[in-house]
């Protein structure tokens, strides 16, 4: 009898502990990568507007996998899904991912066509409002990641301490590093570049005319570096929500070279090389910015209007971080005329006490 009581007591101790462990495991897999799996969802992008171009020229959403184990993983029998009620939404082909290697899977509405071009396509997109991405093996969930809502061209990826963060400069196919945050929204210029806004005129009543005889606001960009830079694909915009409102055609800027772009809405380059953007600068617009070809901002200036229609705003050539008003604009050339920090708009008077030589 004593032996039976001891046996029953042992059963009572064992069963509650087993249930608790099962509950803890479910919580782990519902939130982030399951520590029981060597296959890690290391980075995700739900809005690939410009950042990563696929081999077929498209810009699909993508998931990056990483083999954190000590041996090669054969993906046969694995599946990827954004709906755990349909665990085999995308079934991996017979592919292997070596230890320490990364693999990109494109999340697109197109069905997988791996046999023809080798590109992995899931047949489903990732919601920009956020959702859970899961990996199953033979019907059993082994890895899952809750992907939060995020804007275009920002990724959500694993950090060096195995937590997750948003990345301003995603690294598909490589270690996640660089500018990261708990928030998906990043302000200011994220990529250092020698291509800058050098001068602009928001109200053009007396300055530069185009070949049609029209006067429009204009902006000047300059290569401040020591090497030529191809700026084809770069963006010019008056809106942070659309950094590539107008896209530069193929052209190269030599060191020190300056280009003038009319903000006319004419969207053309004339035979004599005159450049017109596809948008006009409105009276309510408050910013001008340049982005590199992946849509990331490289320079921005807050628009200041002199009110007289004959004054530009540009960088001080002796201190390029300082902006000055120029009563004598220099479109296409360095800002070598006298600049002023302030203008008395009511009297259209320049203040010489704050002028530069």
């Amino acid at each position: 009898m004593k032996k039976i009581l001891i046996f029953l007591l042992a059963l009572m101790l064992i069963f509650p502990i087993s249930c608790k462990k099962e509950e803890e495991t479910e919580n782990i897999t519902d939130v982030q990568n399951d520590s029981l799996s060597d296959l890690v969802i290391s980075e995700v992008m739900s809005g690939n507007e410009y950042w990563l171009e696929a081999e077929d020229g498209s810009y699909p959403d993508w998931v990056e996998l990483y083999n954190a184990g000590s041996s090669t993983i054969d993906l046969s029998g694995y599946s990827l899904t954004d709906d755990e009620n349909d665990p085999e939404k995308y079934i991996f082909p017979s592919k292997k991912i070596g230890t320490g290697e990364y693999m990109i899977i494109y999340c697109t509405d197109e069905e997988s066509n791996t046999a023809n071009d080798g590109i992995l396509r899931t047949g489903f997109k990732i919601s920009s409002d956020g959702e859970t991405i899961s990996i199953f093996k033979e019907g059993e969930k082994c890895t899952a990641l809750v992907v939060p809502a995020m804007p275009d061209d920002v990724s959500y990826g694993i950090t060096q301490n195995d937590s997750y963060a948003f990345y301003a400069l995603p690294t598909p196919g490589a270690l996640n590093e660089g500018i990261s945050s708990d928030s998906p929204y990043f302000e200011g210029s994220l990529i250092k570049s020698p291509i800058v806004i050098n001068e602009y005129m928001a109200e053009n009543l007396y300055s530069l005319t185009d070949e049609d005889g029209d006067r429009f606001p204009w902006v000047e960009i300059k290569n401040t570096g020591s090497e030529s830079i191809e700026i084809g694909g770069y963006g010019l915009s008056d809106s942070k929500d659309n950094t590539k409102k107008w896209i530069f055609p193929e052209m190269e800027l030599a060191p020190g070279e300056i280009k003038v772009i009319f903000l006319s809405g004419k969207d053309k380059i004339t035979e004599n090389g005159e450049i017109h953007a596809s948008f006009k600068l409105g009276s309510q617009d408050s910013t001008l910015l340049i982005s590199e070809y992946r849509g990331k901002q490289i320079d921005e200036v807050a628009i200041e209007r002199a009110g007289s229609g004959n004054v530009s705003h540009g960088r001080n050539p002796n201190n390029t971080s300082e902006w000055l008003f120029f009563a004598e604009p220099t479109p296409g050339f360095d800002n070598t005329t006298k600049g002023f920090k302030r203008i008395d708009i009511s009297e259209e008077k320049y203040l010489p006490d704050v002028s530069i030589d």
Side-chain angles (χ1 to χ4, degrees):
M1 184 68 179
K2 185 176 181 180
K3 289 183 179 180
I4 293 174
L5 289 174
I6 294 173
F7 177 73
L8 291 174
L9 180 62
L11 288 177
M12 291 173 65
L13 291 173
I14 290 172
F15 280 110
I17 293 173
S18 298
C19 292
K20 185 176 181 181
K21 285 184 178 180
E22 181 178 351
E23 181 181 346
E24 289 174 351
T25 301
E26 288 179 356
N27 288 336
I28 292 172
T29 55
D30 283 344
V31 178
Q32 290 185 342
N33 288 302
D34 186 347
S35 60
L36 299 177
S37 173
D38 290 331
L39 191 61
V40 177
I41 300 175
S42 52
E43 194 173 8
V44 176
M45 178 175 281
S46 59
N48 181 21
E49 187 72 16
Y50 304 111
W51 193 256
L52 177 63
E53 182 178 4
E55 291 85 340
D56 60 1
S58 63
Y59 288 84
D61 305 340
W62 49 268
V63 170
E64 177 192 80
L65 302 184
Y66 175 69
N67 181 356
S70 57
S71 59
T72 297
I73 297 175
D74 187 342
L75 292 176
S76 298
Y78 284 83
S79 59
L80 183 72
T81 185
D82 62 348
D83 180 2
E84 294 190 355
N85 293 319
D86 184 7
E88 295 187 344
K89 203 166 184 179
Y90 171 72
I91 300 174
F92 283 94
S94 181
K95 273 186 169 289
K96 295 180 180 180
I97 177 171
T99 180
E101 289 185 353
Y102 297 88
M103 179 178 289
I104 298 295
I105 298 94
Y106 295 116
C107 298
T108 170
D109 283 338
E110 298 177 13
E111 294 183 1
S112 179
N113 193 24
T114 307
N116 292 342
D117 56 21
I119 301 174
L120 301 181
R121 301 182 183 89
T122 60
F124 64 86
K125 292 183 176 182
I126 305 172
S127 172
S128 59
D129 294 328
E131 62 178 337
T132 299
I133 301 297
S134 305
I135 293 181
F136 284 74
K137 182 180 182 182
E138 297 175 352
E140 297 293 328
K141 184 170 69 175
C142 61
T143 301
L145 179 66
V146 177
V147 181
M150 53 186 154
D152 291 344
D153 294 315
V154 169
S155 69
Y156 187 65
I158 198 165
T159 66
Q160 300 298 311
N161 60 2
D162 293 333
S163 61
Y164 278 78
F166 297 97
Y167 285 87
L169 307 176
T171 55
L175 177 70
N176 299 335
E177 55 187 355
I179 302 171
S180 64
S181 173
D182 292 334
S183 168
Y185 299 100
F186 298 86
E187 293 294 332
S189 299
L190 303 172
I191 298 176
K192 292 183 179 180
S193 171
I195 304 298
V196 300
I197 296 171
N198 190 56
E199 187 181 8
Y200 67 89
M201 177 169 272
E203 299 164 305
N204 180 11
L205 298 181
Y206 307 104
S207 177
L208 194 65
T209 60
D210 66 14
E211 65 175 19
D212 299 323
D214 298 324
R215 285 189 171 91
F216 290 99
W218 51 263
V219 61
E220 187 184 79
I221 66 166
K222 180 179 180 179
N223 180 0
T224 62
S226 58
E227 297 181 355
S228 294
I229 297 179
E230 172 58 53
I231 61 171
Y234 281 42
L236 179 67
S237 182
D238 58 358
S239 171
K240 292 183 179 181
D241 295 329
N242 182 7
T243 60
K244 297 182 74 172
K245 198 168 186 177
W246 178 72
I247 300 175
F248 283 88
E250 290 187 8
M251 64 174 67
E252 192 174 84
L253 274 187
E257 186 177 1
I258 294 171
K259 291 282 188 184
V260 174
I261 298 96
F262 283 101
L263 305 178
S264 65
K266 294 182 179 181
D267 194 16
K268 66 178 182 178
I269 297 181
T270 66
E271 291 184 359
N272 65 6
E274 192 175 87
I275 306 172
H276 291 258
S278 59
F279 64 92
K280 294 181 179 180
L281 192 65
S283 60
Q284 301 302 313
D285 290 325
S286 60
T287 188
L288 279 171
L289 60 90
I290 307 174
S291 62
E292 47 87 72
Y293 69 97
R294 292 170 297 189
K296 295 297 182 178
Q297 182 179 313
I298 57 176
D299 194 27
E300 178 186 6
V301 59
I303 296 173
E304 293 192 37
R305 291 172 170 82
S308 59
N310 62 347
V311 177
S312 69
H313 202 213
R315 293 181 186 272
N316 180 346
N318 301 321
N319 177 11
T320 56
S321 64
E322 180 182 43
W323 283 77
L324 301 170
F325 292 102
F326 292 91
E328 187 179 347
T330 56
F333 300 93
D334 286 318
N335 305 333
T336 54
T337 58
K338 182 172 288 189
F340 300 82
K341 291 183 180 179
R342 294 182 292 126
I343 295 175
D344 186 339
I345 301 300
S346 63
E347 300 182 14
E348 295 188 6
K349 182 175 64 177
Y350 306 97
L351 305 180
D353 59 311
V354 292
S355 67
I356 65 166
D357 294 329

